[in-house]
Amino acid sequence: MAIFGTAIPQAVLAQETPVTGGTLIWGHSETTQNLDIHQTGTASSSRVLQNVHSSLVTVDADLNVIPDLAESFEVSTDGLTYTFKLRPGVTFHNGAAMTSADVKYSFERCKDPATGAVNFEVFNNVASIDTPDDLTVVITMSSINAPFLSRLAENGAGAIMPVESGPTQGTNPMGAGPFKFVRYEVGTVVELARFDDYWNGPAFLDGVLAREITEPTTRLTGLRTGELHMINDIPLDRVSELQGDASLQVKTWFPLNFDFINMNHTYPPFQDARVRVAFDMIIDKEALMQGALWGQGATSPSASFPTGAAFNKSLVQRPQDIEGAKALLAEAGHPEGSLNIVFKATTNYPYHIETAQILVEWFRMAGVNLTIEQLTWADWLSQCWVDKDYQMTMMNFFTLWESDFLYYSVWNSKGAYNYRAINDPIIDQLTEQARITVDNAARADVYKQVQQQIWDQSHDIILWFRNGTIGAQPSVKGLDSVVHPNGSNLNFHKVWLAA
């Protein structure tokens, strides 16, 4: 589970009575991309859409699956049939009542390859979706998929939208969440308004203005001047400064995301595991974390949630060994000075640029010429994510608390997030095996083997988990309710503004 800390006294929160009204102006650290919840693969979009959509099921603070738009659910003893009873009286933003037909439509749309959904594989072995009445959905599987409920707990796969609303979701996202979409000015602002008929009670805020401010100093200045009520991602070098400022609130938690360095497996040198391992050996992860993150995180050799049962505690980071890396590269046919690598990093994450700048000197010491190409977020998504036009890059992933979502999506050869073109039969077999392993402890052991294989082969270089931070004006109340248990998504249903 995520671990939260805050500077807001609990006793004070308990004494205050929420009031209705006001628009929260949020300095969003990233640019929203695709507004279609099925198609988007970015946390930036998910943070906004989390407030527009609701899922059939969700998770509690300990990441246990609990009902959301479903009032209850039941799994057959053979693990092949899921029966959901829907909440009566749930209304979509267009005024239509939610029925089982909407669930069937949403899930079949996500499964349909023509949709281009990033979570399509969640429904790969769904044999049928039946709707015996307006409030009952029966999903029959062709084979066991043990993580199925957990995967539905993420909005990307489990979000329910009105029948036939798919064609307009990208421009006018519509769901059954606490806020309805108003407008999007690309790269500037997303506006949401309270949905008074939300099934779990209307929000306190009249609305939310998510102003997209990717430059950290500008974002912080907006908070200090009062132009913004709240920002996420306090500049890493300013966190301690703000924590000592009594005029502002600071909320921190661990972890927000994991970061890793990616090597494109279609690029010939990186098809040799010796080269990938050598590159891992070049890096001092702790020194890099201190230099690029200002210590706002913790190094990790694994991408699994550090408090989760699947986290492989036996793994340790490879220590920096420049001479060993040089020898391994020479053995692989790359003597000193022969490798020229372009590292594409996005300015959307300034600490990625700082990471790349620190790496340049270490790689020079190992006889590798590393040059940096800085890309905007849109260009990074286009070149690295979509076209896979890169040699080496860096990225972070949010919300991947669920092991199937993490390891199948990111490292399986068919995974929607496998932009590095990794094709490891052992990982493919293990991630498929995990899906049919019903026992939780046994399934966790399978994922530990996956982590071992990723580490052994250095398919990616996993660096650290980063802390999450929010800065806010004193008038912003209910901050403890904002961060989703997955550590990334933000929900403003219970937030309010004091007069």
Side-chain angles (χ1 to χ4, degrees), residues 16 229 246-249 472-477 498:
E16 296 181 296
H229 288 114
S247 68
L248 293 171
Q249 300 183 72
Q473 299 291 338
S475 59
V476 180
K477 306 298 180 179

Side-chain angles (χ1 to χ4, degrees), residues 7 61 65 70 75 81 187 229 238 276 310 332 345 365 385 389 418 490 495:
V65 178
V75 185
T81 305
H229 288 114
R238 308 289 291 277
R276 302 193 302 266
M365 292 167 60
W385 181 270
D389 177 20
N418 185 4
L490 305 178
V495 174

Side-chain angles (χ1 to χ4, degrees), residues 136-441:
T136 304
V137 178
V138 180
I139 297 178
T140 304
M141 315 295 284
S142 58
S143 59
I144 290 174
N145 184 350
F148 183 64
L149 274 178
S150 297
R151 294 298 302 271
L152 291 184
E154 288 290 349
N155 251 340
I160 308 304
M161 56 186 62
V163 167
E164 303 304 332
S165 66
T168 58
Q169 285 289 335
T171 53
N172 182 31
M174 182 184 298
F179 291 89
K180 55 188 178 182
F181 174 79
V182 177
R183 66 186 172 99
Y184 177 36
E185 296 177 11
V186 178
T188 304
V189 66
V190 181
E191 182 178 358
L192 306 177
R194 179 177 60 239
F195 178 48
D196 289 329
D197 294 324
Y198 178 53
W199 72 268
N200 201 21
F204 301 118
L205 296 168
D206 290 336
V208 176
L209 273 180
R211 291 189 178 170
E212 298 175 354
I213 307 172
T214 59
E215 209 289 311
T217 303
T218 304
R219 199 165 58 249
L220 180 57
T221 299
L223 178 67
R224 285 198 175 282
T225 61
E227 178 186 354
L228 304 171
H229 288 114
M230 185 194 105
I231 65 171
N232 67 299
D233 278 350
I234 297 169
L236 295 169
D237 58 336
R238 308 289 291 277
V239 174
S240 14
E241 172 192 328
L242 259 69
Q243 286 174 327
D245 187 340
S247 68
L248 293 171
Q249 300 183 72
V250 174
K251 179 177 178 60
T252 63
W253 67 95
F254 175 86
L256 169 66
N257 63 267
F258 75 86
D259 284 271
F260 59 164
I261 289 172
N262 309 136
M263 295 159 283
N264 190 335
H265 286 227
T266 67
Y267 184 58
F270 295 140
Q271 292 171 358
D272 189 331
R274 293 172 297 181
V275 175
R276 302 193 302 266
V277 170
F279 275 31
D280 191 356
M281 293 166 63
I282 292 171
I283 303 169
D284 182 332
K285 284 80 172 180
E286 181 65 28
L288 188 63
M289 191 270 292
Q290 294 295 334
L293 289 191
W294 292 76
Q296 293 294 322
T299 60
S300 173
S302 166
S304 281
F305 252 46
T307 54
F311 184 84
N312 190 335
K313 296 179 181 178
S314 68
L315 292 180
V316 294
Q317 294 279 25
R318 284 187 177 90
Q320 186 180 51
D321 181 359
I322 298 293
E323 292 306 314
K326 288 163 64 175
L328 199 54
L329 287 172
E331 178 186 314
H334 304 287
E336 288 187 57
S338 64
L339 265 183
N340 298 290
I341 302 294
V342 176
F343 191 114
K344 292 187 175 182
T346 174
T347 54
N348 192 63
Y349 300 109
Y351 71 94
H352 286 196
I353 303 298
E354 292 168 6
T355 294
Q357 291 169 341
I358 294 170
L359 292 181
V360 167
E361 175 61 17
W362 286 335
F363 275 75
R364 184 198 63 77
M365 292 167 60
V368 178
N369 180 31
L370 188 70
T371 56
I372 304 169
E373 186 176 337
Q374 299 189 25
L375 303 177
T376 65
W377 184 224
D379 284 343
W380 187 94
L381 287 169
S382 174
Q383 293 182 32
C384 301
W385 181 270
V386 178
D387 295 337
K388 301 176 177 59
D389 177 20
Y390 72 94
Q391 295 174 357
M392 197 169 175
T393 189
M394 178 177 177
M395 191 34 55
N396 41 245
F397 272 97
F398 305 81
T399 78
L400 301 187
W401 57 271
E402 203 285 321
S403 294
D404 181 70
F405 194 7
L406 172 60
Y407 291 110
Y408 196 101
S409 298
V410 181
W411 280 282
N412 187 287
S413 62
K414 298 177 183 176
Y417 296 164
N418 185 4
Y419 57 96
R420 290 96 62 230
I422 294 168
N423 188 352
D424 186 325
I426 294 175
I427 291 177
D428 285 358
Q429 184 271 323
L430 289 171
T431 50
E432 294 289 354
Q433 178 186 338
R435 287 188 160 185
I436 60 172
T437 303
V438 176
D439 181 79
N440 290 336

